[in-house]
Amino acid sequence: MSDGFLGPVVSSAHLASGSFAEISELEFGLTLANNAFHRWMVRAIAMAGYPELGALDVLVLHSVYHRDRPKKLADICLVLNVEDTHTVNYAVKKLIKAGLVTDGRQGKEKTVAATEKGAETCVRYREIREGLLLRAVGELGLEPEQVSHAASLLRLMSGQYDQAARAATTY
């Protein structure tokens, strides 16, 4: 190409050859970011002392610790947009075994709350995140509004993917 533009960076050219090729570019970026984010969470929680935990376990722990009040299993799944509740239930069991959360009841529903050890682990994770990730991201020169806009776009796109998944299920 004479102008030096090679086209969008995608992993599946056959998907980018249709309409709105930029969505394929976004999807490739999401794939890379998702895998890097999961790898980061696993490495950071290992630094905090829990190398046996996976990415979903870390997400569940932080969700449970959020606002320091017990959470229902269904609410954790809703907030994290996890359809397979058994995976969250398994994460909760791992976190209970590690002593990071405890289970309880609110009426008929199972609840999960962070233990003191779980709260301390979340604080340690935050310190590691500040030192290793946020400091480096800060050096990129991004404005907070840019990051907030990107997060908003990702939430909006998740709704589009959810709607498309519902439509695909009805065919």
Side-chain angles (χ1 to χ4, degrees):
M1 300 183 144
S2 60
D3 64 1
F5 180 70
L6 300 176
V9 178
V10 299
S11 64
S12 304
H14 62 283
L15 297 176
S17 63
S19 62
F20 216 159
E22 295 79 5
I23 294 297
S24 293
E25 192 171 17
L26 174 70
E27 290 169 344
F28 185 48
L30 283 171
T31 299
L32 296 177
N34 181 59
N35 290 328
F37 179 53
H38 283 201
R39 186 170 38 256
W40 154 252
M41 286 187 293
V42 168
R43 296 298 190 328
I45 202 70
M47 279 187 71
Y50 295 91
E52 71 277 12
L53 297 182
L56 183 59
D57 308 327
V58 176
L59 290 170
V60 169
L61 176 61
H62 288 299
S63 183
V64 168
Y65 181 60
H66 179 63
R67 303 208 194 282
D68 198 24
R69 59 178 180 243
K71 308 293 186 305
K72 297 176 190 171
L73 187 65
D75 290 340
I76 297 168
C77 292
L78 178 68
V79 168
L80 296 178
N81 199 20
V82 175
E83 184 176 17
D84 299 325
T85 58
H86 69 279
T87 60
V88 173
N89 196 38
Y90 181 67
V92 167
K93 287 179 182 179
K94 284 175 68 177
L95 295 168
I96 289 170
K97 184 177 178 183
L100 300 174
V101 302
T102 185
D103 57 352
R105 292 240 168 241
Q106 185 177 24
K108 293 182 179 182
E109 295 197 61
K110 179 180 177 178
T111 60
V112 185
T115 62
E116 186 175 326
K117 186 176 175 185
E120 290 168 0
T121 300
C122 288
V123 169
R124 177 68 183 130
Y125 182 99
R126 184 186 71 219
E127 292 166 351
I128 293 165
R129 182 173 177 261
E130 288 282 339
L132 297 179
L133 179 66
L134 300 185
R135 185 172 297 148
V137 169
E139 292 173 7
L140 294 175
L142 295 172
E143 294 295 326
E145 296 80 23
Q146 290 174 293
V147 177
S148 184
H149 180 75
S152 179
L153 176 61
L154 290 172
R155 287 189 304 274
L156 288 169
M157 288 302 297
S158 75
Q160 297 302 309
Y161 283 107
D162 279 342
Q163 178 58 34
R166 279 190 291 278
T169 301
T170 63
Y171 276 91

